[in-house]
Amino acid sequence: MASFSQFGNDLYTGKRSYNIIGRRRIWYSIAAVLILIVVIVPILRGGFVFGIEFVGGSQFEISNTSNLSQPFAASAVTSVVPNANPRVTTVGTNSVRIQTDQLTSSQSSNVQDALAKAYNIKRSDVTASFIGATWGQDITRQALTGLIVFVVLAAIVMALYFRTWKMSLAALIALMHDLILTAGVYGVFHIEVTPAAVIGFLTILGYSLYDTVVVFDKIRENTSEDGAESRRTFAESVNLAVNQTLVRSINTSVVAILPVGAILFIGAFVLGAGTLRDISLALFIGIIVGTYSTIFIAAPLYAHLRSGEEAIKKRDKRTAATRQASIANQ
């Protein structure tokens, strides 16, 4: 712990430093490759897998059974309706959920009988329900509306708070980076997208933006304190701010990801609770991606956007000339 504290202190004072801003092209390239992967791979695999709430269909739930074999349930369904496309998940320690394409009332009744016979349970232990796609469509529309409103308000507030639209733009680009990669993981690994996952996608917006604002606030503090006699270039001041907040970003991410990881484990493997699993998986991925984007995308991009300003160019030239004169006098 002492060595980690010393590490953080060295980063804050500048005794130890990582050239994050100077290597921004590397981070841009990594981000571009990852985005290409999460865009192209889902297309090649046939797109995203949406939950029954978005596409509609029939759902059967078997309770009070010790047999949790997923192929066993799928076989029972396809023996009645061969093209039902069953998707089976376990719920807790004694229940199985089967989702299929939309079935007729008679087909649903036959599937219930087949499942009860296959699992050797009472027919009353097999519940059947129909889920329409309109509910999922409403959730999607509301989520998109919420996303647009959030992005617009966040852009305005950040531009007013930091007094520059370039910080706002850099933060929003990093935010879109987080959303694309988090959603892309679902497409690459064919993880089912449910309303709970969509809620998770929207939740990571706040976390990612919060982490970025903290780093940007330190950047503003460093760059505003640099006067005409500053020995640092603008990019070096930004890099110092990133290094000074690096340990804080790591600590915040670890503290956030541990409980989310615990919920993910409990939801996926202990309780079999699909909602907990879906929302925590989105958060788990989003926190990791958001921490990366704050350090390696948002801050370097902001420095890049400001590097073309005349005032910044003059300052950097003055700093370089001062260094050369100092070297010459030695």
Side-chain angles (χ1 to χ4, degrees):
M1 182 62 70
S3 60
F4 189 70
S5 299
Q6 185 61 44
F7 173 73
N9 184 67
D10 290 346
L11 288 175
Y12 195 88
T13 59
K15 183 178 178 181
R16 183 196 300 263
S17 179
Y18 296 101
N19 188 16
I20 295 172
I21 304 302
R23 297 191 176 102
R24 59 176 176 262
R25 295 186 185 278
I26 296 177
W27 318 133
Y28 295 166
S29 299
I30 293 174
V33 169
L34 290 176
I35 290 174
L36 282 175
I37 291 174
V38 300
V39 169
I40 294 175
V41 172
I43 294 175
L44 296 177
R45 298 194 64 182
F48 287 84
V49 178
F50 291 98
I52 193 173
E53 297 86 356
F54 292 105
V55 298
S58 298
Q59 178 170 289
F60 304 89
E61 187 155 335
I62 303 168
S63 57
N64 301 322
T65 179
S66 58
N67 184 358
L68 302 180
S69 172
Q70 296 185 4
F72 189 74
S75 298
V77 173
T78 54
S79 66
V80 178
V81 186
N83 59 346
N85 188 26
R87 300 173 296 280
V88 186
T89 56
T90 57
V91 182
T93 58
N94 64 348
S95 298
V96 177
R97 180 183 295 129
I98 306 101
Q99 295 177 342
T100 69
D101 295 339
Q102 184 176 346
L103 305 180
T104 64
S105 298
S106 60
Q107 287 176 327
S108 295
S109 180
N110 291 337
V111 168
Q112 279 185 280
D113 292 334
L115 288 172
K117 181 179 180 181
Y119 281 89
N120 194 25
I121 56 177
K122 295 183 295 182
R123 191 178 190 277
S124 59
D125 289 330
V126 182
T127 59
S129 59
F130 168 74
I131 299 176
T134 55
W135 187 77
Q137 293 170 358
D138 290 339
I139 291 293
T140 303
R141 183 169 57 253
Q142 293 173 12
L144 290 175
T145 302
L147 174 62
I148 293 172
V149 171
F150 176 86
V151 169
V152 171
L153 291 178
I156 294 173
V157 171
M158 290 187 67
L160 292 174
Y161 179 73
F162 291 112
R163 300 179 183 178
T164 171
W165 61 268
K166 293 181 179 180
M167 269 193 175
S168 179
L169 178 61
L172 293 182
I173 291 175
L175 202 62
M176 293 301 104
H177 164 275
D178 298 345
L179 278 178
I180 292 171
L181 289 188
T182 303
V185 170
Y186 277 70
V188 170
F189 294 100
H190 260 205
I191 302 172
E192 188 177 74
V193 179
T194 65
V198 173
I199 293 172
F201 296 156
L202 296 178
T203 305
I204 65 174
L205 297 178
Y207 172 84
S208 178
L209 199 60
Y210 166 75
D211 202 28
T212 301
V213 166
V214 171
V215 175
F216 276 6
D217 203 44
K218 189 61 182 176
I219 291 174
R220 183 180 65 168
E221 178 184 330
N222 283 5
T223 54
S224 62
E225 290 177 352
D226 291 341
E229 304 301 322
S230 175
R231 297 183 179 181
R232 298 191 299 260
T233 65
F234 181 80
E236 288 171 345
S237 292
V238 174
N239 194 72
L240 176 61
V242 175
N243 278 271
Q244 287 174 327
T245 55
L246 184 60
V247 171
R248 178 236 163 245
S249 294
I250 294 173
N251 286 339
T252 302
S253 300
V254 171
V255 169
I257 209 168
L258 284 177
V260 171
I263 294 173
L264 176 60
F265 176 80
I266 293 172
F269 301 106
V270 179
L271 298 179
T275 302
L276 283 179
R277 179 198 62 213
D278 294 341
I279 193 170
S280 59
L281 178 60
L283 290 174
F284 190 86
I285 299 169
I287 290 172
I288 296 173
V289 174
T291 303
Y292 171 83
S293 70
T294 295
I295 300 169
F296 297 103
I297 302 297
L301 183 58
Y302 172 65
H304 193 176
L305 291 172
R306 294 287 307 273
S307 63
E309 297 179 8
E310 286 300 322
I312 301 298
K313 289 181 179 179
K314 291 179 180 179
R315 168 184 165 175
D316 292 349
K317 287 181 180 178
R318 185 172 59 247
T319 301
T322 302
R323 289 176 180 174
Q324 290 178 356
S326 178
I327 293 174
N329 291 334
Q330 290 180 354

